[in-house]
Amino acid sequence: MNDSIKVFAPATVANVVCGYDVLGFAVNQPGDEVIMRLTGGKGISISKITGDDGKLPLDPDKNTVSASVQHYLNHIGKPDTGIDIELHKKMPIGSGLGSSSASTVAGLFAVNTLFDNLLTNRELVPFAMKGEELACGYGHADNVAPALMGGFVLIRSYEPLDIISLPFPEDMHAAVVYPEVDVPTKDARQMIRSKVLLKDAVTQWGNVAGLVSGLFLKDYDLIGRSMTDILVEPTRSILIPDFAVMKSIALESGAIGFGISGSGPSVFALTRDADIARTITAKLQQHLKNLNINSLSFVSEVNKKGPIILD
Ligand code: HSE
């Protein structure tokens, strides 16, 4: 058994427009890194966090990484294991890119590897959901499941947990742009209406089924016309600068579909190739610059691997 490991876990695009809390996919970059050491002592410590501007707690009871790792240790019957964690944030917090889930997943993958893979990545999902619960008040899985399993996933059911890996067109790319405005997931969840009209539900589940069918059929037109959200986007998009304008720019530039990544403020487009994705990120970043808003952008295929061990 090794006593130290360094792990990378990827960012994720949750919801994928119409699939609030049930759809998500992983991207190759950005992602977070965790260095974990077995100390031989007792209990978890967090010795260092970088890249968080001092925002994340070093207290192991309050940090999502250590709290999830503690749940794992309790589960395997080794609650007092001495572990030290270094967390290196490589993506902004509160960005809608699954920032907390990338950290949590890196930590869980690290501890599970140190314990010779007692659980599969899929079996780690409930432990990672505990981290999401700590981060935003609700243990949703549409970030942590794709971060752990890679690819495009559907959370068919939460009780019991039923996660389906979906196929997707190999050439499909994501263009992701993060406008540097703060939208905490907790707030973005609280602003959504908790009741929906049956006619709206009919529209929404038609689109979810259409998107899943489009992924299976590798039918970009079907994927695109299913990327419509009448339940969440109309409310949340208010928090995102010039959302409607950015959507028009992306669609006119060849996006298959466009929407909010997770709870925002990041936005994303799905495209047929990397060139179209790069064109879209350049145009959206220029638009945000004209509004005096700084931004970051990422172009990626769907990440198939999930977390990986770094040298
Ligand atoms: N499904 C979650 C939400 C994802 O939209 O609140 C958070 O990134």
Side-chain angles (χ1 to χ4, degrees):
M1 185 158 120
N2 286 331
D3 61 4
S4 146
I5 192 170
K6 184 175 182 183
V7 164
F8 165 92
T12 41
V13 172
N15 300 337
V16 201
V17 182
C18 52
Y20 179 71
D21 279 358
V22 301
L23 286 173
F25 65 87
V27 290
N28 288 335
Q29 47 136 357
D32 285 347
E33 291 173 14
V34 159
I35 299 171
M36 186 174 283
R37 297 182 196 90
L38 295 174
T39 61
K42 203 173 170 191
I44 301 179
S45 57
I46 303 174
S47 57
K48 192 192 271 187
I49 303 179
T50 64
D52 69 328
D53 292 329
K55 288 183 188 163
L56 297 179
L58 285 159
D59 178 345
D61 293 334
K62 296 188 179 141
N63 186 288
T64 60
V65 182
S66 41
S68 308
V69 168
Q70 187 64 60
H71 279 294
Y72 173 93
L73 294 173
N74 296 348
H75 176 81
I76 65 167
K78 298 185 187 296
D80 295 329
T81 307
I83 282 181
D84 182 67
I85 296 170
E86 274 184 33
L87 170 61
H88 298 287
K89 296 291 304 171
K90 307 278 181 177
M91 70 171 106
I93 296 167
S95 56
L97 294 170
S99 179
S100 59
S101 82
S103 304
T104 303
V105 164
L108 283 167
F109 186 77
V111 70
N112 192 46
T113 307
L114 290 176
F115 281 96
D116 295 329
N117 299 304
L118 287 174
L119 301 184
T120 64
N121 285 10
R122 182 183 289 261
E123 287 168 339
L124 292 175
V125 172
F127 300 91
M129 288 167 66
K130 292 275 185 196
E132 294 295 78
E133 199 174 331
L134 192 60
C136 75
Y138 180 73
H140 57 94
D142 50 342
N143 291 115
V144 292
L148 270 165
M149 295 160 58
F152 217 118
V153 303
L154 165 71
I155 322 299
R156 205 263 326 148
S157 156
Y158 275 88
E159 287 178 23
L161 197 58
D162 186 6
I163 302 169
I164 321 293
S165 287
L166 300 173
F168 50 85
E170 288 290 322
D171 296 337
M172 192 168 75
H173 278 67
V176 180
V177 173
Y178 165 59
E180 291 188 10
V181 293
D182 200 24
V183 178
T185 298
K186 200 169 189 170
D187 298 350
R189 290 186 76 84
Q190 280 168 355
M191 70 190 292
I192 303 168
R193 280 174 301 150
S194 58
K195 292 189 173 154
V196 301
L197 293 173
L198 182 61
K199 74 176 178 53
D200 290 343
V202 170
T203 304
Q204 197 81 5
W205 61 53
N207 282 320
V208 174
L211 176 49
V212 171
S213 304
L215 291 168
F216 269 92
L217 296 168
K218 304 195 191 318
D219 180 336
Y220 282 123
D221 291 332
L222 177 56
I223 292 170
R225 63 181 189 274
S226 304
M227 286 173 67
T228 303
D229 172 18
I230 62 165
L231 298 183
V232 178
E233 184 179 290
T235 311
R236 281 187 170 170
S237 56
I238 297 163
L239 300 176
I240 298 171
D242 262 2
F243 178 81
V245 179
M246 290 200 284
K247 186 177 210 167
S248 300
I249 292 171
L251 294 175
E252 281 162 17
S253 307
I256 305 163
F258 176 89
I260 304 171
S261 175
S263 55
S266 290
V267 292
F268 79 103
L270 289 180
T271 67
R272 290 174 158 81
D273 63 41
D275 284 344
I276 300 173
R278 278 190 280 270
T279 302
I280 290 170
T281 55
K283 287 188 182 176
L284 294 183
Q285 286 199 278
Q286 183 58 51
H287 183 75
L288 289 166
K289 196 172 172 194
N290 296 344
L291 299 174
N292 287 319
I293 296 170
N294 290 331
S295 62
L296 298 173
S297 73
F298 308 93
V299 168
S300 173
E301 307 170 309
V302 176
N303 169 303
K304 293 181 187 155
K305 291 186 184 153
I308 52 169
I309 298 169
L310 300 174
D311 292 334

